[in-house]
Amino acid sequence: MKSKNKTSKPTAIIILGMHRSGTSAMTRVCNILGVNLSDNLLPPTKGNNETGFWEHLNTVVTNEELLDAFDMHWDDPRALPSRWTETEAAKAAREKILAFLKTDFGTAPLWGIKDPRMCRLMPLWDPIIDELGVAPAYIIMLRHPLEVVRSLYQRDGLSDGRGMVLWLRHVIEAERATRGKRRTFVSYDLLMQDWQRAIEGMVGQLGLPFEKTTDESRAEIESFIRPRLRHFNFHDTELYGSAPLARWTGRVFAACRALEQDPQDTKALADIDMVARELDQAGSYFDDIVGEGAPRERKLRQEIVNLRRKVTERENWANEQISRVAERDARIVRRDARIVSLSEELNAAAETSRQTTSELMIENSRLHGEIQFIARTWSWRLTRPFRGISRIALRSLGAMRVMTHHMTVKSAVDAEPLGNHKFRSQKPNPQLVLASPWRFLPSGWVEITYEIDASQTATPFLFADTGQGFTEANRFRLPTTRDGFGRVIVRLPNHVSALRFDPVHFVGTFTIKSINIREVSRIGLGLTALARQLRQVASYSDTRKRN
């Protein structure tokens, strides 16, 4: 499909045509075949041009600002003001256009631009394109006017009369602005039915340096050109069967079809000029009437824009709330699943606990029976005096201060054993259950010595269990360690069944070097107190002598 460019200059393809005439489809096809549109494009709109407008964003904004300066909009059927290209608004628009065309297409050998508003604004655009030093090629899209009118009514709610005058304004002004220049008319029907034939005819007529069509580009175009997006299809009988329609709209449409076949058709050009004169004459009567309603229409249009913005904000808010509700529901589902899982685990643990309790009760009954059996045996009765002597001997050792319990760690809570008497506390208050090498635990007056190696000063606690668990009633606060060492005398309750040692109150590592509990008799306790007082008196005497 590639045709040799007739000029060494960069080529600018200007795609013109009334709104809803297939300019977007033509622009996208040109883009697929190598025409640079830049990345600054108007995004597609759902329910409007879902496949994309393919319009240069700055072009649309600048053209709309220029029309707004004349109190007009794209759908205003009035003629543009006299000598409008000489206004300050037009001069400002010219500077903007020149700047963004240089920025976005300055070095591109083949680029294109499309905006239906350009049909009416070519007297401003043509000198700018000439100044850029590029060779323009104009493509004018031609669609049945009744299809355009019906599409505008469906999309924008425009009346048939307004849509018809807009079609005439855009087509006539685009034709007259490009007359005698490098241009071609392309039928929207042909583009939809046989895009390849339409493009080949256009390329041959304009000599465009398009890229060769490949299987990939063909597939992309055919996925883009979708006849199902064409919602209306009118025939000539509906256009030419009405005298009012046939006089202006029908005549211009027929003239453009003739120019599509013969660009030099003098009768077609004369018909367009005749309708242009009559349209301008009619406009001299009716443009002022339309202009009187323009401010009100502009105000209503702005209100519509504001309402649409509020609707969009409300929709965004609603979507956000829906998303939050969905997240909350998901959290509830996860929570319920977690509750079910925990409930199942709890039931399983309860069942295990019941089974364990039952087994322990059975084992306790068995052991109780064995104890009763042993207690009734002759050997147990005969050794009773020896057991009494053993208890007396052990008490005598305590009275002589020789009964010492070298305590070891039996189990740990919230403390991980690291080996070699070292632990890592997992919570600020780790607990160590102590065991004695003797078959009973100390009670009564005892002397406790302990050595703890830790990164912080240790202030340990000792708890004694007399069958009611570890309670505050039997809690003993031990002195803070000095250089890791501590010593204290306390009175433990009778019948101690378990001892718990809480060494530190921080999260970290510590080492229990030793915990020794020595039973002290009342005599030994008195001697210890007397020795302490004698040491205090001796220390006081030494102090007075030195003074």
Side-chain angles (χ1 to χ4, degrees), residues 75-89:
D75 58 356
D76 197 318
R78 293 176 293 169
L80 287 165
S82 176
R83 302 170 66 90
W84 64 271
T85 56
E86 300 175 10
T87 63
E88 292 300 322

Side-chain angles (χ1 to χ4, degrees), residues 316-504:
N316 293 338
W317 178 85
N319 291 334
E320 183 179 352
Q321 299 307 310
I322 291 172
S323 177
R324 289 182 177 180
V325 169
E327 291 177 1
R328 184 200 63 188
D329 291 344
R331 289 197 300 269
I332 291 174
V333 170
R334 291 194 298 269
R335 183 200 64 189
D336 291 345
R338 180 60 177 163
I339 290 174
V340 170
S341 176
L342 291 175
S343 178
E344 292 175 351
E345 292 178 6
L346 181 61
N347 292 335
E351 181 62 25
T352 302
S353 177
R354 284 193 295 270
Q355 292 178 358
T356 303
T357 301
S358 177
E359 293 173 357
L360 289 175
M361 291 178 66
I362 294 171
E363 180 67 14
N364 184 61
S365 298
R366 185 187 67 79
L367 293 175
H368 185 68
E370 289 184 0
I371 291 172
Q372 288 181 339
F373 173 77
I374 292 171
R376 288 193 298 268
T377 61
W378 281 101
S379 60
W380 180 261
R381 293 176 181 178
L382 290 174
T383 57
R384 182 174 181 179
F386 297 104
R387 290 198 300 275
I389 295 171
S390 175
R391 282 196 297 271
I392 294 171
L394 291 174
R395 294 299 179 187
S396 299
L397 290 174
M400 292 184 292
R401 299 183 61 183
V402 295
M403 177 62 72
T404 300
H405 299 258
H406 299 288
M407 309 302 290
T408 58
V409 178
K410 180 179 180 181
S411 62
V413 178
D414 297 329
E416 177 188 2
L418 301 178
N420 198 24
H421 308 294
K422 191 173 184 179
F423 298 85
R424 178 185 293 110
S425 59
Q426 298 169 336
K427 291 184 179 180
N429 188 32
Q431 303 167 5
L432 306 178
V433 178
L434 303 180
S436 170
W438 302 100
R439 61 183 179 85
F440 60 90
L441 292 173
S443 60
W445 288 98
V446 296
E447 180 186 52
I448 304 173
T449 58
Y450 45 91
E451 188 174 1
I452 303 172
D453 185 9
S455 59
Q456 300 181 27
T457 301
T459 304
F461 285 86
L462 183 69
F463 288 82
D465 180 8
T466 58
Q468 305 297 323
F470 296 112
T471 63
E472 293 294 318
N474 291 320
R475 185 189 74 162
F476 302 90
R477 180 169 183 173
L478 308 184
T480 302
T481 58
R482 292 185 179 181
D483 297 327
F485 183 80
R487 178 180 178 184
V488 67
I489 295 176
V490 298
R491 181 174 184 178
L492 296 177
N494 296 325
H495 310 296
V496 175
S497 60
L499 288 174
R500 192 186 88 196
F501 188 68
D502 297 357
V504 296

Side-chain angles (χ1 to χ4, degrees), residues 205-319:
Q205 191 171 354
L206 297 179
L208 297 174
F210 276 12
E211 295 178 357
K212 184 178 180 180
T213 304
T214 63
D215 292 339
E216 183 179 354
S217 62
R218 182 180 294 104
E220 188 172 3
I221 292 172
E222 289 176 354
S223 69
F224 180 83
I225 299 291
R226 290 180 279 176
R228 68 178 179 81
L229 295 179
R230 182 179 184 177
H231 305 292
F232 309 104
N233 193 356
F234 287 86
H235 300 284
D236 288 349
T237 55
E238 297 166 292
L239 178 61
Y240 297 103
S242 169
L245 290 178
R247 178 171 178 81
W248 282 0
T249 308
R251 184 169 297 183
V252 172
F253 187 50
C256 290
R257 279 176 164 176
L259 292 173
E260 183 181 357
Q261 304 301 322
D262 180 8
Q264 308 301 325
D265 191 317
T266 55
K267 182 180 181 305
L269 297 175
D271 285 345
I272 291 175
D273 289 339
M274 184 273 289
V275 175
R277 287 193 299 270
E278 293 185 0
L279 183 61
D280 288 339
Q281 289 173 4
S284 64
Y285 286 93
F286 297 110
D287 281 0
D288 289 343
I289 298 175
V290 176
E292 288 176 356
R296 181 173 179 272
E297 185 176 353
R298 184 177 183 180
K299 180 180 178 182
L300 291 175
R301 183 178 286 111
Q302 186 59 46
E303 289 178 358
I304 292 172
V305 170
N306 294 337
L307 288 174
R308 285 177 177 171
R309 183 175 64 250
K310 290 181 180 179
V311 168
T312 301
E313 292 174 355
R314 290 283 183 177
E315 289 177 347
N316 293 338
W317 178 85
N319 291 334

Side-chain angles (χ1 to χ4, degrees), residues 144-154 158-160 163-164:
H144 197 290
L146 293 183
E147 293 182 12
V148 174
V149 169
R150 183 58 57 87
S151 182
L152 289 172
Y153 172 77
Q154 178 175 303
L158 299 185
S159 64
D160 290 354
M164 205 68 70

